[in-house]
């Protein structure tokens, strides 16, 4: 017997509508996120359906979201409360040093290959 997976139509329609928008055709994490962490910058990301960055960094601790149409407001908040956000940038930097260096990649994924 052959089986086919047919997702719940409500879920499928939500995902389908999201996938075929012009703004975010597919989820992906660009290397610039890791590079930004290594540069001790505040990572300010527009919140999207997939939240891919959350697989690598923790919201509010290592990066900050902004909602569509609220970028200017979020930037003003960051500038007015810089000591708090400087700590977020430092947290991301420390995590990048622990988890996202070439050495760590080799230890995690390549060390036991023969």
């Amino acid at each position: 017997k052959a089986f086919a997976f047919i997702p719940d139509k409500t879920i499928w329609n939500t995902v389908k509508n999201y996938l075929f928008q012009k703004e975010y055709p597919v989820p992906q994490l660009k290397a610039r996120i890791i590079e930004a962490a290594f540069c001790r910058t505040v990572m300010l990301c527009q919140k999207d359906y997939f939240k891919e960055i959350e697989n690598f960094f923790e919201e509010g601790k290592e990066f900050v979201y902004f909602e569509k149409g609220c970028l200017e407001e979020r930037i003003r908040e960051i500038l007015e409360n810089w000591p708090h956000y400087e700590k977020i940038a430092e947290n991301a930097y420390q995590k990048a040093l622990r988890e996202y260096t070439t050495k760590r990649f080799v230890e995690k994924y390549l060390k036991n290959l023969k």
Side-chain angles (χ1 to χ4, degrees), residues 44-76:
L44 184 56
C45 303
Q46 184 175 333
K47 196 168 208 169
D48 67 4
Y49 180 81
F50 296 100
K51 302 177 185 175
E52 186 67 24
I53 191 172
E54 292 181 22
N55 292 317
F56 299 89
F57 294 98
E58 186 178 333
E59 178 187 4
K61 181 178 178 188
E62 298 157 342
F63 79 95
V64 179
Y65 275 130
F66 71 94
E67 298 289 337
K68 187 174 184 174
C70 299
L71 177 60
E72 184 177 343
E73 179 182 322
R74 190 60 133 157
I75 290 172
R76 288 183 196 284

Side-chain angles (χ1 to χ4, degrees), residues 19-34:
L19 284 174
F20 296 106
Q21 292 184 71
K22 290 182 180 177
E23 284 186 61
Y24 297 105
V26 292
Q28 57 182 304
L29 181 78
K30 298 284 190 177
R32 66 179 148 248
I33 296 296
I34 305 299

Side-chain angles (χ1 to χ4, degrees), residues 51-105:
K51 302 177 185 175
E52 186 67 24
I53 191 172
E54 292 181 22
N55 292 317
F56 299 89
F57 294 98
E58 186 178 333
E59 178 187 4
K61 181 178 178 188
E62 298 157 342
F63 79 95
V64 179
Y65 275 130
F66 71 94
E67 298 289 337
K68 187 174 184 174
C70 299
L71 177 60
E72 184 177 343
E73 179 182 322
R74 190 60 133 157
I75 290 172
R76 288 183 196 284
E77 177 187 333
I78 291 169
L79 293 174
E80 290 171 5
N81 299 293
W82 179 246
H84 170 73
Y85 289 97
E86 187 175 33
K87 188 172 185 176
I88 290 173
E90 182 64 25
N91 290 342
Y93 172 73
Q94 292 301 323
K95 183 165 191 177
L97 284 178
R98 285 191 315 274
E99 298 294 327
Y100 305 126
T101 62
T102 303
K103 179 181 178 182
R104 179 68 177 129
F105 178 83

Side-chain angles (χ1 to χ4, degrees), residues 31-46:
R32 66 179 148 248
I33 296 296
I34 305 299
E35 293 164 356
F38 278 115
C39 291
R40 286 187 167 120
T41 61
V42 174
M43 293 185 289
L44 184 56
C45 303
Q46 184 175 333

